[in-house]
Amino acid sequence: MRRVDGITKTTDNRFLNMYELDMKSDTGKHSRYFVASRAERIEDLKISTRENKADGVIIYSVYCDEETKEEKLVLIRQYRCPIDDDIYEFPAGLVDAGEDFKTAGKRELKEETGLDFMPIDAADMFTKPYFTTIGMTDESCGTVYGYANGTVSKEGQEENEDIEIVLANREEVRRILKEEKVAIMCAYMLMHFLHTPKGHVFDFLME
C-alpha cells in the first residue's frame, strides 16, 4: 500500500494548480503521482485538511412552463477547452471565499442563466460534496435542488463564457443523451429525469 510522503506544488495559477506527490510503499519504494486541485496552497489540499469542503456547486433545477405546465431541466451547453467542443452540463460554478455552496448555487444560476432559484429542502446525503474525478483531482462539488423561474438571460455571464441556456423537456433530454456530448454527472441525472413521472421529479430526495 502506498501513502503520501511529501508534496510539491508545481504551478501557480488562479483557479487550478498541479501538485506532485511523493508516494512511499510499505517496502520503502518511492513513486510519483500528480494531482490537480483548486487549492492555492499545500495546506489547503484535502490531503492536508482531511476535510471535504465543496470547491464548487452543481445546480439541479426544474423550470415549469407556465403555458404547458411541462417540466424542463435547466441545462447549459458550453464550450470546454479540454475537448475543444461544446458539452451539455448543469449550471455550476466555484464557491467563493466565505460562501457556502448552497448560496453559491443561487448566485451561479442567476449569473449563468438569468433565472431565479428556489431551493427545496433535501437531506445532507443528497447535497453534501462528492468528488468529481478522484483519479486526478481532489475537487468536490455539492449539489442544490429546486425550481427555477423568471426570464432566461445571458447578461450575467462573464466575457470569456460561451454558454447557451437550454430548457430541456423529456423528449429533448432523450435526444441529448443519444446525440450529444454530456458531462457524466449531468448524464446520470438526465437518465433519472427521463424516467421520473411528471410532478414527482424530486421524490428521490425523500429518505
Side-chain angles (χ1 to χ4, degrees):
M1 183 178 292
R2 296 187 299 170
R3 289 289 182 265
V4 177
D5 198 43
I7 307 172
T8 303
K9 184 181 180 184
T10 61
T11 64
D12 190 20
N13 300 313
R14 181 181 177 188
F15 295 113
L16 187 67
N17 283 291
M18 292 296 298
Y19 293 84
E20 182 178 330
L21 308 184
D22 176 19
M23 305 300 297
K24 185 178 180 181
S25 71
D26 292 341
T27 62
K29 182 178 179 180
H30 286 262
S31 59
R32 296 187 299 168
Y33 196 95
F34 298 92
V35 174
S37 179
R38 301 291 187 183
E40 296 183 1
R41 306 177 305 161
I42 291 175
E43 293 83 359
D44 298 325
L45 289 168
K46 293 181 174 67
I47 290 174
S48 302
T49 65
R50 298 293 171 176
E51 295 178 358
N52 184 14
K53 183 179 179 181
D55 300 290
V57 61
I58 300 168
I59 305 110
Y60 183 89
S61 56
V62 176
Y63 182 93
C64 291
D65 190 290
E66 291 185 2
E67 293 185 4
T68 65
K69 305 303 179 184
E70 188 175 27
E71 296 170 336
K72 299 179 180 180
L73 287 186
V74 181
L75 306 176
I76 58 173
R77 183 174 182 261
Q78 68 174 320
Y79 173 82
R80 288 297 194 179
C81 301
I83 59 173
D84 190 30
D85 202 353
D86 292 336
I87 189 168
Y88 283 81
E89 303 174 84
F90 284 124
L94 296 178
V95 179
D96 290 341
E99 183 181 44
D100 68 82
F101 72 85
K102 295 181 180 180
T103 301
K106 295 181 181 180
R107 174 181 56 75
E108 284 290 346
L109 189 71
K110 187 67 173 179
E111 291 175 359
E112 292 191 351
T113 71
L115 297 172
D116 296 313
F117 184 63
M118 297 174 293
I120 63 172
D121 291 331
D124 180 65
M125 65 179 286
F126 298 110
T127 65
K128 71 177 185 179
Y130 287 104
F131 294 99
T132 55
T133 313
I134 196 60
M136 62 183 180
T137 178
D138 68 349
E139 181 189 61
S140 66
C141 291
T143 306
V144 291
Y145 306 86
Y147 293 94
N149 62 20
T151 303
V152 168
S153 171
K154 292 187 175 184
E155 290 185 6
Q157 294 180 12
E158 297 180 7
E159 185 178 356
N160 64 343
E161 290 181 319
D162 184 8
I163 298 175
E164 176 188 349
I165 303 147
V166 178
L167 302 179
N169 61 15
R170 286 171 175 81
E171 182 180 355
E172 177 63 3
V173 164
R174 183 181 298 276
R175 187 200 68 79
I176 289 169
L177 286 170
K178 286 182 176 181
E179 301 176 7
E180 304 288 354
K181 293 182 175 69
V182 187
I184 191 168
M185 290 176 290
C186 179
Y188 285 144
M189 295 304 292
L190 293 185
M191 296 173 198
H192 181 274
F193 175 74
L194 192 61
H195 295 284
T196 300
K198 182 179 178 181
H200 295 271
V201 66
F202 290 122
D203 282 6
F204 73 97
L205 297 176
M206 299 175 62
E207 290 189 271

